[in-house]
Structures are given as structure tokens and as C-alpha cells.
Amino acid sequence: MCRADLFHFGYPPLMKQFYQNDGRELETLLRTVKEAGVAVSLDLASVDATSEAGQANWQRILERALPWVDFFVPSAEELCFMLDPLRYEDWVRRAAGRDVAEILTPEEVTSLGERCLQLGARVVLIKCGSRGMYYRTAAAPDITPLCEKLSLAPSDWAGIFGFEKSFKPDAVRSGTGAGDTSIAAFLTAVLNGESLHSTVALSLLARPLMGLFVSDEALIQTGVVISIASGIAGYNGVLVAQPLSDLLTTVLAVVLYRRCLFPELKAASNKQETSKSPWHPVRLHQ
């Protein structure tokens, strides 16, 4: 593990031992990795409110976990359910059966991002479905050690927040793995030393690619992916820990973007127009 540059942990809500006892095991895991000098990224999963996982004290769990997390990459729905259940209930009511992303406001997502930084995360990337992604980073004193570890320019990462709109593909064969694909592209860009703006743009541009090129039927045939996953430890500086099916998707995406598609993906992102979203990028700290 110490040879890896980054440790990505996915979906503690799906693994009982990591949400029991207010997330004590999750805190121990992330602290151990962080103290070993490895950058940490954390992703969540949707939770059934009536399940055992849904009854866990997720605010307390995140209070314990996020001080050890560098890159926190949840969806808006997952995060709101855990940090602000009453607001989440309001979202569901307002959506009235539609995609919750359609009714999100900038202020609501911004407050969630601010809360994550307050809890200790250094970089927050909130997936907002078809709307795009919200990003927020810590001030220079808090994020500079991470930038030095991963050879990132602090001036490109410190004290920034904003929203980047999704790209619309011409066709989608499947939505399977879209979230994992976008995060894999984001982490690949981080390890390639890209700026925050580039990593977010590449992440959004990558998300439709799994749906364009890979059908659900192809994803079921995982033999090739398993052979790739067998060498995951330390692969390109990334150590991934997720439930098996999601691990395979993430590993496939990392392999595709690091070895095959990253140059083309970056070239395509450079041709995109700057977002006209009401959530323009803003630098908080000089």
C-alpha cells in the first residue's frame, strides 16, 4: 500500500463493518492509509432509509471519516440523505417522482460542499446527475501538503468552488458504471497532475463514454476485466477498494483512461466551451 500514490475506497454503506459503531472501522482504515503517506479518496452509495445502513448515524460516521479524506466524491442525493435528512425528504417531495437532480438549487448544493470542507475533506466533488458536478476545495494551508504529495500546483487547486455542466452524448447504450467511470477519469487526471478545472472537465466528458461504447451485456462478460483487476494493487499508483462488481467497473475505467483514452479525452475537453452555468468558478482565498 505504501507504494501507491492514492487509495480509493468505495461504498461504505454496502459494507456493514464500515458503518457499524458509528463508522469506527472506516475511520481506522482511512486514518491508517493517510498516516502511511497515501492520498485518500472516498465515494458513497445510495441508502435505503428503511435498511440497517439507512438507520446508521451517517453524520457521525462522516464526522469521523472526512478528516482523513483528501478527495470526497459523493452524489448530491447520497450526501444530503446523510448530512441533512430533512432537506433530502424535501427534495424527494419537490421532485415528485422525477430525477432529484432536476430540482436542485445552487445554494443547496453549495451548503453541502461547505459542510464537507468543515468536516475535514480537502477536495469535494459532488455528482449532480444530469446537471453536472459541483466542486469545492480547501484553502491553501490545508490543501498544499496534498498538492505536494501528488505534484499538483496549489495555485490551480486552493480555495476554489464552482459548477460544471454535463456534456450530452449523441446516444447512450447503457448508464451502467457512469458514476464510477467519471470518478476514475477524475482520479486519473489528478495523478497526471492536471488542474482542478481540467480534472472536473475530463470527469464529466468521460461519464458518457462508458454508455457510448459499453453495453450492459458487455459489462456482464467480465473475464477480461477480472484479468485486469488481478493486478490492481499499485496499478498506475492507484489502490482501489470496492465491492467486486463496482471494483471491476472502476478498474476498467482507470485502465481505459490512463492507457488509451486520456490524451483524446483531454483534447476533446479543450474544445468545449466554458460553462455558462449560474455557478461560475469562484476563488475563495488568494
Side-chain angles (χ1 to χ4, degrees), residues 196-252:
L196 175 63
H197 175 76
S198 292
T199 59
V200 174
L202 290 163
S203 177
L204 283 166
L205 191 58
R207 185 164 57 179
L209 290 182
M210 187 67 78
L212 280 171
F213 300 125
V214 184
S215 66
D216 285 336
E217 292 76 13
L219 285 174
I220 293 173
Q221 300 172 4
T222 57
V224 174
V225 185
I226 290 173
S227 68
I228 295 171
S230 66
I232 185 60
Y235 176 80
N236 279 331
V238 184
L239 185 62
V240 182
Q242 287 182 266
L244 182 60
S245 60
D246 301 297
L247 168 65
L248 298 181
T249 303
T250 302
V251 171
L252 174 60

Side-chain angles (χ1 to χ4, degrees), residues 16-29:
K16 189 174 183 177
Q17 69 270 32
F18 290 110
Y19 63 75
Q20 287 182 322
N21 302 312
D22 289 341
R24 184 173 59 196
E25 286 294 323
L26 179 62
E27 179 188 15
T28 298
L29 171 68

